[in-house]
Amino acid sequence: TNSDLYLSHSFSPALVSTGSAVSADYVITNTTRDTATSIQFSHDLGAIDCVDTNGACPSNAPGWVPTNLPLSDVCGVGSSLSEENPGVITLSGASINSSESCSFSVTTQLPGTESEGVYTSTISDLSGSGLSGGESQAALRIQTGVEVSFEFDGSPSKIGAGTPNNLIVTLSNASAALSATEVSGTINLPAGFPSGSVVAPASGSCGPGSSFGTTADFSGNVVALRFTDATLNANDSCSL
């Protein structure tokens, strides 16, 4: 059925590690020829279901709460965003002119005790004065972050000036259940690092499509190593 009011919501970023801050972003559109008033909805963060269980994910993420409420006049004069109950974002008293939209965001905080998985959010109680509202769905992927470590290969443990040696960089996926894809980052080398002949690993060294490069300063000294689009299976690592 057609709705008078349309709501879309999303999470930013859409992929986070446990315990992260997440922005919940909302857009409401009035499709009618008249001003829509008394617009309201509620969004229960604690009831958001985890659908990618991998055998360990509970049904929701209790303790996920908004951190910047209340907010006033977010969608018309007199409208408000509040936390009526723990973890429940509530919009009330909103108004939107004909064929216009209203957007706003709420800063939220994951508790740090949630399990990894893909969490799906549904808002189905959007309404206005005499108006019907559509349903909105969004997804948030939560997983343990990728760790980076590096060391010299230790053969020999001490080297003289100008002697070649290998710097081993290891990317580790600490997640017990989820793969890590499109892993990208930069490793800054220590000041004064003897980097005149640093050679980056070959493309594809950490999964198909992965690539590596170096960043040099104005004098041509390599000051950083870059990696892009690496892929790591659960509990897997890649040494370069």
Side-chain angles (χ1 to χ4, degrees):
T1 60
N2 294 327
S3 299
D4 302 313
L5 300 172
Y6 281 91
L7 168 68
S8 66
H9 75 292
S10 60
F11 297 107
S12 178
L15 170 61
V16 296
S17 58
T18 56
S20 296
V22 181
S23 176
D25 306 317
Y26 308 87
V27 179
I28 304 174
T29 301
N30 174 16
T31 67
T32 71
R33 296 181 179 181
D34 300 311
T35 298
T37 60
S38 301
I39 301 170
Q40 60 184 7
F41 72 77
S42 60
H43 188 193
D44 189 352
L45 299 176
I48 294 176
D49 288 330
C50 180
V51 295
D52 187 6
T53 63
N54 292 294
C57 188
S59 61
N60 51 44
W64 185 1
V65 295
T67 58
N68 66 333
L69 299 183
L71 297 173
S72 300
D73 299 334
V74 295
C75 194
V77 176
S79 62
S80 65
L81 276 172
S82 60
E83 186 180 11
E84 296 295 328
N85 294 302
V88 181
I89 299 170
T90 300
L91 171 72
S92 60
S95 59
I96 305 175
N97 291 332
S98 171
S99 302
E100 292 187 1
S101 298
C102 170
S103 60
F104 48 90
S105 298
V106 176
T107 302
T108 71
Q109 180 68 47
L110 292 167
T113 56
E114 67 278 2
S115 297
E116 296 180 311
V118 177
Y119 289 75
T120 58
S121 165
T122 301
I123 301 175
S124 57
D125 64 347
L126 174 68
S127 65
S129 180
L131 302 175
S132 61
E135 183 177 272
S136 174
Q137 293 186 332
L140 175 70
R141 185 183 181 99
I142 302 173
Q143 71 180 83
T144 305
V146 172
E147 300 173 352
V148 180
S149 63
F150 55 94
E151 62 180 352
F152 289 100
D153 66 3
S155 301
S157 58
K158 295 182 179 180
I159 59 175
T163 303
N165 198 280
N166 292 323
L167 176 65
I168 300 175
V169 178
T170 300
L171 307 179
S172 301
N173 179 12
S175 171
L178 301 176
S179 297
T181 59
E182 300 181 7
V183 179
S184 302
T186 300
I187 301 174
N188 295 315
L189 299 176
F193 187 83
S195 57
S197 59
V198 170
V199 178
S203 297
S205 297
C206 198
S210 60
S211 61
F212 306 86
T214 59
T215 300
D217 62 16
F218 291 109
S219 300
N221 297 311
V222 175
V223 295
L225 303 176
R226 306 187 311 275
F227 53 93
T228 306
D229 292 335
T231 299
L232 297 165
N233 294 326
N235 281 329
D236 194 12
S237 63
C238 175
S239 294
L240 310 168

